[in-house]
Amino acid sequence: MKLKSSQTLGEFIIDKQADFKYSSGELSRLLGAIRLASKVVNQQVNKAGLVDIIGAIGNQNIQGEEQQKLDVFANDMFIGALKNREVVCGIASEENEDFISIKSKDDAHNSKYVVLIDPLDGSSNIDVNVNVGTIFSIYRRISEDGPVTLEDFLQPGNKQVAAGYIVYGSSTMLVYTTGNGVNGFTLDPALGVFYLSHPNIKIPEDGKIYSVNEGNYLKFPQGIKNYIKYCQEEKENRPYTSRYIGSLVSDFHRNLLKGGIYIYPSYSQAPKGKLRLLYECNPMAFLAEQAGGSASDGFTRILDLNPVELHERTPFVCGSKKMVEKVEKFMKDAQEQ
Ligand SMILES: O=P(O)(O)OC[C@H]1O[C@](O)(COP(=O)(O)O)[C@@H](O)[C@@H]1O
Ligand SMILES: [Mg+2]
Ligand SMILES: [Mg+2]
């Protein structure tokens, strides 16, 4: 069987380095560290039932969620790979309350990048063999030098240098952007090499798939309820198809390739919704926009939101441009009523 493309992720990263005039290769090495850690995590995910990596570890993370063993394993792998390669001066993770400041071997803090990461996305699906993922977001630090500060992490999403995710599914894919379009790479498990399989991904402008946890329907804002009813109407090219995997990475990935919308709204018990702005919504919003789609909190562009806390949450509406616009219209109309 002939490979679709023989360009590897490593080669692609180096080729794309030329896009950045003053590139020092640091971002390429950073992406290389993420590539390496994703392969190690992929191996554990693939044999999750065989090794002692299933189930809770017995702690709660800063979100008050039961930490899964694979959450902690993935967290250690990504932080370890980034730290050992001295390609970042700071890391913030869903699994760590505070950000980590990283010194290089000569005790300096001279790396210019900070990384925010959701090491294992879709934790509720780990034990039941459903796709899970990893999400990452990269910024250039804004403080001059010395140890990183909180402000280096609390930058609006429109300042991201790069973002991406890995989906550990029937095949394992790494999808990322550096602000010049979105490209997808599939892992050849036999060789342990990512190959370019989805060049220059464009999300369809409109779609017929909606992803939302309808179990919370009664608690949703009126605008979202009205939109869900709109999706279910027998009219024009509706009803749409409801698909909800329960792993943001997987629901987003399907919609990216086929067209569709993912919604995690606010609801009565969670006025800011569930998803975290810095390491879930900002990176997905950057990818969506780079692929021709869009993302908002129902009113404001996600990438223009100004974060004030490391683990803050936001309502999230993301996917095909026309579908996001429709939701925003329903939200606005409901607010004016
Ligand atoms: O079970 P719910 O409330 O629908 O939430 C599912 C959502 O929560 C998440 O699992 C949150 O991410 P984590 O697993 O990284 O905490 C998303 O991946 C997913 O879309
Ligand atoms: Mg997550
Ligand atoms: Mg997670």
Side-chain angles (χ1 to χ4, degrees):
M1 191 176 311
K2 196 167 159 311
L3 275 177
K4 262 171 60 172
S5 148
S6 57
Q7 188 174 25
T8 69
L9 174 56
E11 291 160 345
F12 185 90
I13 290 172
I14 299 301
D15 282 3
K16 290 296 168 198
Q17 204 175 293
D19 291 355
F20 302 92
K21 217 148 125 223
Y22 307 106
S23 147
S24 64
E26 211 175 313
L27 183 61
S28 301
R29 289 200 302 282
L30 196 168
L31 292 168
I34 289 175
R35 178 184 69 202
L36 176 67
S38 72
K39 292 180 191 174
V40 179
V41 171
N42 179 58
Q43 272 201 331
Q44 287 300 321
V45 171
N46 285 349
K47 56 182 179 186
L50 298 176
V51 288
D52 181 24
I53 201 109
I54 289 237
I57 203 156
N59 303 339
Q60 288 208 337
N61 64 16
I62 173 75
Q63 337 271 338
E65 291 161 350
E66 199 61 46
Q67 270 187 325
Q68 303 298 307
K69 289 177 187 162
L70 207 52
D71 283 324
V72 175
F73 177 83
N75 199 38
D76 293 347
M77 287 308 117
F78 280 95
I79 292 175
L82 292 164
K83 240 185 180 168
N84 301 340
R85 278 160 191 75
E86 299 191 354
V87 283
V88 289
C89 55
I91 300 173
S93 163
E94 177 193 2
E95 303 306 330
N96 295 67
E97 180 161 0
D98 287 321
F99 64 83
I100 306 162
S101 174
I102 298 190
K103 282 187 190 165
S104 47
K105 290 207 181 66
D106 56 5
D107 242 14
H109 298 271
N110 40 31
S111 302
K112 59 176 181 277
Y113 294 111
V114 295
V115 170
L116 299 106
I117 197 159
D118 175 357
L120 207 285
D121 178 65
S123 309
S124 63
N125 282 326
I126 295 170
D127 302 2
V128 289
N129 205 352
V130 172
N131 295 10
V132 292
T134 294
I135 310 173
F136 62 90
S137 168
I138 302 170
Y139 292 85
R140 212 171 264 111
R141 63 181 300 170
I142 37 182
S143 57
E144 281 309 312
D145 48 28
V148 278
T149 64
L150 185 56
E151 63 164 337
D152 291 312
F153 295 93
L154 298 183
Q155 301 185 50
N158 53 42
K159 291 274 185 273
Q160 286 175 99
V161 170
Y165 59 84
I166 298 105
V167 54
Y168 311 103
S170 43
S171 68
T172 292
M173 279 190 69
L174 188 152
V175 176
Y176 83 107
T177 183
T178 54
N180 298 306
V182 176
N183 293 280
F185 301 79
T186 301
L187 182 67
D188 177 331
L191 299 177
V193 174
F194 281 102
Y195 287 98
L196 178 61
S197 54
H198 296 68
N200 202 17
I201 301 172
K202 291 293 173 208
I203 185 170
E205 208 187 9
D206 206 346
K208 294 182 63 169
I209 296 172
Y210 68 103
S211 320
V212 61
N213 183 343
E214 294 183 65
N216 295 327
Y217 178 84
L218 296 175
K219 301 180 258 182
F220 286 159
Q222 194 55 46
I224 298 293
K225 286 181 180 170
N226 297 347
Y227 179 72
I228 293 174
K229 283 288 157 245
Y230 167 86
C231 293
Q232 296 167 343
E233 272 173 357
E234 300 252 5
K235 245 192 197 157
E236 293 153 13
N237 63 345
R238 286 166 284 137
Y240 293 158
T241 298
S242 170
R243 288 278 182 277
Y244 191 70
I245 297 169
S247 298
L248 166 64
V249 166
S250 305
D251 283 309
F252 177 90
H253 187 68
R254 183 206 46 249
N255 293 343
L256 182 70
L257 300 182
K258 293 200 164 186
I261 190 165
Y262 172 96
I263 306 172
Y264 206 108
S266 61
Y267 57 99
S268 33
Q269 287 95 329
K272 299 276 296 193
K274 174 182 182 177
L275 299 183
R276 283 51 60 119
L277 174 59
L278 289 176
Y279 42 79
E280 290 175 318
C281 303
N282 269 338
M284 295 316 214
F286 189 23
L287 288 158
E289 290 199 8
Q290 280 291 312
S294 60
S296 79
D297 62 3
F299 301 97
T300 308
R301 181 181 176 231
I302 289 288
L303 297 181
D304 293 339
L305 295 175
N306 287 308
V308 288
E309 283 166 30
L310 217 44
H311 302 286
E312 73 179 73
R313 302 171 193 260
T314 178
F316 192 50
V317 180
C318 181
S320 295
K321 209 180 198 53
K322 288 205 171 138
M323 298 181 90
V324 174
E325 283 162 6
K326 197 73 169 176
V327 172
E328 290 168 348
K329 175 140 184 9
F330 273 102
M331 291 295 276
K332 192 160 158 285
D333 294 352
Q335 209 179 36
E336 284 157 7
Q337 249 138 47

